[in-house]
Amino acid sequence: METKLGIHVAYNVNYHFVFCTKRRKPILVQNIAFDCANIIRKVAEEINIKIEALEIMPDHVHVFVSSSPVISPGKIVKKFKGKTSNILRIKYPQLLRIPALWSSSYYVGTIGHVSESVVKLYIENQKGK
């Protein structure tokens, strides 16, 4: 990953997020998973962050992003979860049967320059499990 330049700042900020469906229900499958990934990509573009790796599992999401230091990790995950929940629950009425699409908790880890390839490999290999 390269250092990015902004007005009065140079940065290399990377986060690994994991967030789960409510009660770990395996609902992120087929078209729902495909649409979820597309929504996350659109949200990232809207808030000007770069997705380095993304994997949708049946009951959770892994996303590795490169971000500006002015956007907090909490804001990023809130945008991902909020937008995906709203759009997916409108498009797929069967998702309205569960009280919420996402669990209120999430994991975020900062990624140092040395371990980014390990994180990408880990995320890419999730489908094989």
Side-chain angles (χ1 to χ4, degrees):
M1 309 220 63
E2 61 188 51
T3 299
K4 291 137 195 99
L5 300 174
I7 299 173
H8 307 292
V9 65
Y11 60 91
N12 183 2
V13 179
N14 307 293
Y15 302 111
H16 174 207
F17 292 104
V18 181
F19 46 98
C20 302
T21 58
K22 187 75 170 181
R23 298 187 185 110
R24 296 293 297 243
K25 292 201 178 276
I27 55 176
L28 302 174
V29 295
Q30 300 169 341
N31 290 341
I32 295 173
F34 179 80
D35 288 343
C36 183
N38 285 336
I39 296 164
I40 289 172
R41 286 185 186 97
K42 286 179 188 172
V43 169
E45 191 175 308
E46 287 171 10
I47 61 175
N48 201 26
I49 63 174
K50 182 180 179 190
I51 293 182
E52 302 290 343
L54 172 65
E55 201 64 65
I56 308 294
M57 305 303 289
D59 64 350
H60 66 283
V61 172
H62 286 271
V63 61
F64 177 33
V65 302
S66 177
S67 172
S68 163
V70 299
I71 305 172
S72 73
K75 181 178 179 181
I76 294 169
V77 79
K78 184 177 179 180
K79 291 273 191 186
F80 286 158
K81 289 166 75 173
K83 200 75 136 181
T84 54
S85 178
N86 288 338
I87 294 171
L88 292 174
R89 287 164 68 90
I90 289 169
K91 187 169 181 178
Y92 300 97
Q94 68 268 29
L95 297 178
L96 294 172
R97 286 186 249 141
I98 56 177
L101 184 65
W102 302 113
S103 164
S104 59
S105 60
Y106 63 93
Y107 165 82
V108 60
T110 56
I111 308 302
H113 193 66
V114 174
S115 63
E116 71 190 39
S117 61
V118 173
V119 172
K120 282 184 183 180
L121 185 62
Y122 171 76
I123 292 172
E124 291 166 1
N125 288 326
Q126 286 299 296
K127 284 286 187 193
K129 292 186 179 192

